[in-house]
Amino acid sequence: MGSSQGSTLTSATASAADVDVSLLDLVPVYIKELIAGGAAGGFSKTAVAPLERVKILMQTRTSEFKSLGIFQSLNKVKQQEGILGFYKGNGASVLRIVPYAALHFMTYEQYRCWILNNCPSLGSGPSIDLLAGSAAGGTAVLCTYPLDLARTKLAYEMANTRIGNSLSYNAQPSYNGIKDVFRSVYMEGGLRSLYRGVGPTLIGILPYAGLKFYIYEELKTRVPEEHQKSVVLRLSCGALAGLFGQTLTYPLDVVRRQMQVQNNQQSNQLGSPQIKGTIQGLNFILRNQGWRQLFAGLSLNYVKVVPSVAIGFTAYDMIKSILRVPPREKTASVQASA
């Protein structure tokens, strides 16, 4: 009797497992990659949100944070706004990064497959990753840029605080959330204003996204095959790729941030010229703020990139494993055969 019940329970468990497997297998691989990439992006952004907030303040509030280091800036935000101040604008950041990361990974695979199928003369090396990564980065930026604009405007705000006998930065417009930012920005200049700063963003993201994938894949090819699936190795390669790409394109990120918040800055209310283009923005910052401002917050970005990449890759690998996503090589071969 006991053995028959045991066998019945075992068979029921096996059949349930078969149902789970069959249901999961019905989900297309690109949907699983969308889920894994989006979740990983959300986890990594939230983990480094305090560093991201301070980086934006260092990039845009030059008179208040220019002379402060990373820890002094963190302490200043904590004193003025408390712990929650570290996460101001993180809601918009997560709302942006989830679709951004999901689109970035998915379109990267699609572009890569298309290039391999239609441009065989280019081969199948890391140069394909450079092209596909650049195209995927541009696609993801165009689809999610208004959310990045909202994130920057929310992060730019500081609580009203008296410094000495004056209030140097309490006259900024206050936003009540992402929807309020969209409404206010749209009223300023319509749909076009929601994409203010997208020029330097695209100019920066195209080489950055391409270089990130290129360096990551190139570094992996230079280690023994038995170690290429190591999580530590992937984290190391990704961190190096991110650091290298960030250094080359960081000045464009500074221009973008200043274009996004310039309507909020008091200096522009006094008649200072506005930044309207990438080259003009670079020249304006060089003349008025010095070349060091083009790299304001870069050291903080280095500190942020390493844990962000580590958490992002770890979460992505874990979720892909749970969803039973096949390795990229197998996925590519299936797509190619299809």
Side-chain angles (χ1 to χ4, degrees):
M1 179 68 71
S3 61
S4 62
Q5 289 179 343
S7 61
T8 302
L9 181 61
T10 301
S11 61
T13 304
S15 62
D18 292 339
V19 172
D20 290 340
V21 172
S22 62
L23 289 177
L24 198 56
D25 289 342
L26 290 175
V27 180
V29 172
Y30 74 90
I31 295 295
K32 297 178 182 179
E33 291 175 341
L34 282 172
I35 296 172
F43 290 147
S44 62
K45 271 295 181 184
T46 301
V48 299
L51 298 175
E52 181 69 18
R53 174 83 199 281
V54 170
K55 186 194 78 169
I56 291 176
L57 292 173
M58 292 177 72
Q59 287 178 327
T60 57
R61 292 184 174 274
T62 59
S63 61
E64 300 151 32
F65 287 86
K66 186 175 183 179
S67 61
L68 299 181
I70 296 174
F71 294 107
Q72 290 176 313
S73 298
L74 288 168
N75 187 53
K76 183 173 183 177
V77 173
K78 182 181 178 182
Q79 288 180 344
Q80 294 178 11
E81 300 180 343
I83 296 297
L84 292 180
F86 291 134
Y87 296 91
K88 194 170 185 178
N90 187 57
S93 182
V94 170
L95 281 177
R96 168 191 168 270
I97 200 60
V98 168
Y100 176 87
L103 282 171
H104 201 173
F105 279 104
M106 187 269 290
T107 56
Y108 162 71
E109 295 293 348
Q110 295 299 317
Y111 286 136
R112 184 176 185 276
C113 184
W114 185 89
I115 294 173
L116 289 173
N117 291 336
N118 294 275
C119 305
S121 60
L122 295 177
S124 59
S127 60
I128 303 300
D129 298 299
L130 178 66
L131 296 174
S134 297
T139 301
V141 163
L142 289 175
C143 292
T144 62
Y145 188 80
L147 289 170
D148 183 60
L149 177 71
R151 183 274 301 267
T152 301
K153 284 185 172 292
L154 289 171
Y156 175 78
E157 291 183 328
M158 290 288 289
N160 296 345
T161 300
R162 180 173 294 277
I163 300 180
N165 296 322
S166 64
L167 291 173
S168 61
Y169 52 87
N170 71 333
Q172 315 303 331
S174 178
Y175 299 111
N176 295 320
I178 300 172
K179 185 183 296 186
D180 188 36
V181 173
F182 286 157
R183 181 186 60 80
S184 299
V185 173
Y186 184 81
M187 291 179 63
E188 290 174 8
L191 183 64
R192 183 177 180 179
S193 62
L194 290 173
Y195 282 85
R196 185 182 297 122
V198 74
T201 302
L202 286 174
I203 295 174
I205 199 63
L206 292 179
Y208 171 67
L211 284 170
K212 184 173 63 175
F213 281 106
Y214 174 86
I215 297 171
Y216 179 63
E217 296 299 329
E218 178 68 21
L219 289 174
K220 285 201 305 181
T221 62
R222 297 183 179 277
V223 298
E225 185 175 354
E226 62 269 18
H227 298 299
Q228 289 187 4
K229 294 184 179 181
S230 167
V231 174
V232 174
L233 175 69
R234 293 187 179 188
L235 291 175
S236 301
C237 293
L240 288 173
L243 290 172
F244 182 71
Q246 281 287 316
T247 303
L248 292 179
T249 61
Y250 193 79
L252 298 171
D253 188 50
V254 175
V255 174
R256 169 173 63 115
R257 298 298 185 195
Q258 295 207 13
M259 288 180 71
Q260 287 176 334
V261 303
Q262 61 187 351
N263 283 355
N264 300 69
Q265 293 175 328
Q266 292 179 351
S267 61
N268 287 294
Q269 297 175 3
L270 300 176
S272 297
Q274 289 193 338
I275 300 175
K276 296 182 179 180
T278 305
I279 302 301
Q280 182 221 354
L282 290 170
N283 290 331
F284 176 83
I285 293 173
L286 282 172
R287 290 197 312 269
N288 296 278
Q289 302 170 18
W291 68 268
R292 292 179 182 275
Q293 182 59 30
L294 291 175
F295 296 92
L298 180 58
S299 60
L300 182 61
N301 216 44
Y302 286 152
V303 175
K304 184 197 72 171
V305 164
V306 173
S308 177
V309 171
I311 294 169
F313 271 104
T314 302
Y316 185 63
D317 286 339
M318 289 177 62
I319 297 171
K320 283 204 304 180
S321 178
I322 294 172
L323 297 176
R324 292 193 285 274
V325 176
R328 178 183 143 183
E329 292 76 15
K330 294 181 180 179
T331 303
S333 63
V334 170
Q335 291 175 340
S337 62

